[in-house]
Amino acid sequence: MWSPEGAASARRSPGDAGQARRSGARSHPARGRFLYMCARACKARCIVEFGSSMGISTIYLATALRDMGGGRLIGTDLVPSKVERARANVAAAGLSGIVELRVGDARETLTSGIVGDIDMVLLDGAFTLYLDVLKLLEPHLKPGAIVLGENALEQASGYIDYVRNPQNGYLSRSLPFEAGRGNELTVKTG
């Protein structure tokens, strides 16, 4: 079984995208390793992913959950064919028991079924909805929760201004790798 952590049986290094490549999808191994490390660093038990697409980031995040003893990842995507592909990729990685993939508008699919605290959020869908999705999830974010925004550009409908304003309960900054992609790392402070 594939494992980006390099479990003894797999003998692969963290961030290995072998399963992702074999599934026909593309993934940047350094990005996958970073996601895995973030999930491990915050000791995530519950992760929400907006914009699951083909499930490659989902696999890295769910592997971190598995390697820490389990948890739950709720992913959502608007496009049914992408969710189908994501489910197949997640199943091929042996992670179906940890991942729940929902189809539809995240502003609807994430309004229910979230019990307890969220430890980590990956925003990787329509960046114009990032602020709406974040505000929907805010009541569930525990202090110290990590929020990663992919393509969180200035045009992201106020998202950047919101998370960079400490009065809103976050510390945030752009990440210095993959310049121009708009990668934003945010931590819930209160």
Side-chain angles (χ1 to χ4, degrees):
M1 180 186 306
W2 172 75
S3 168
E5 183 184 35
S9 62
R11 302 276 184 228
R12 290 190 172 93
S13 64
D16 180 16
Q19 178 65 34
R21 281 192 293 274
R22 287 189 290 281
S23 70
R26 292 184 182 187
S27 179
H28 192 282
R31 179 176 178 265
R33 177 180 226 173
F34 179 72
L35 293 174
Y36 179 90
M37 290 170 58
C38 285
R40 294 289 304 247
C42 72
K43 297 180 173 82
R45 302 295 296 151
C46 180
I47 299 172
V48 174
E49 179 185 27
F50 164 57
S52 297
S53 190
M54 307 275 186
I56 304 310
S57 295
T58 311
I59 290 170
Y60 284 105
L61 293 168
T63 299
L65 291 173
R66 182 202 64 203
D67 291 350
M68 291 185 294
R72 181 174 182 211
L73 187 148
I74 300 168
T76 185
D77 202 282
L78 185 62
V79 181
S81 61
K82 286 184 177 182
V83 173
E84 260 182 59
R85 183 78 178 269
R87 285 184 178 132
N89 288 335
V90 166
L95 298 165
S96 296
I98 296 172
V99 176
E100 175 191 347
L101 291 166
R102 301 175 181 182
V103 179
D105 186 324
R107 294 169 296 182
E108 296 170 9
T109 62
L110 297 175
T111 59
S112 64
I114 298 175
V115 180
D117 291 336
I118 297 171
D119 304 293
M120 184 173 173
V121 176
L122 175 60
L123 301 171
D124 196 12
F127 61 81
T128 57
L129 299 179
Y130 284 7
L131 186 55
D132 291 345
V133 172
L134 179 65
K135 286 186 174 185
L136 180 69
L137 299 174
E138 269 182 334
H140 302 283
L141 291 177
K142 75 173 201 177
I146 292 175
V147 181
L148 291 166
E150 289 279 327
N151 303 313
L153 305 169
E154 298 297 329
Q155 309 91 307
S157 297
Y159 175 79
I160 296 293
D161 292 336
Y162 185 79
V163 296
R164 289 187 183 171
N165 182 344
Q167 293 178 346
N168 292 323
Y170 298 98
L171 293 175
S172 191
R173 67 161 293 141
S174 62
L175 293 170
F177 55 85
E178 294 183 23
R181 271 201 68 173
N183 294 307
E184 187 80 9
L185 173 65
T186 303
V187 176
K188 178 74 172 153
T189 59

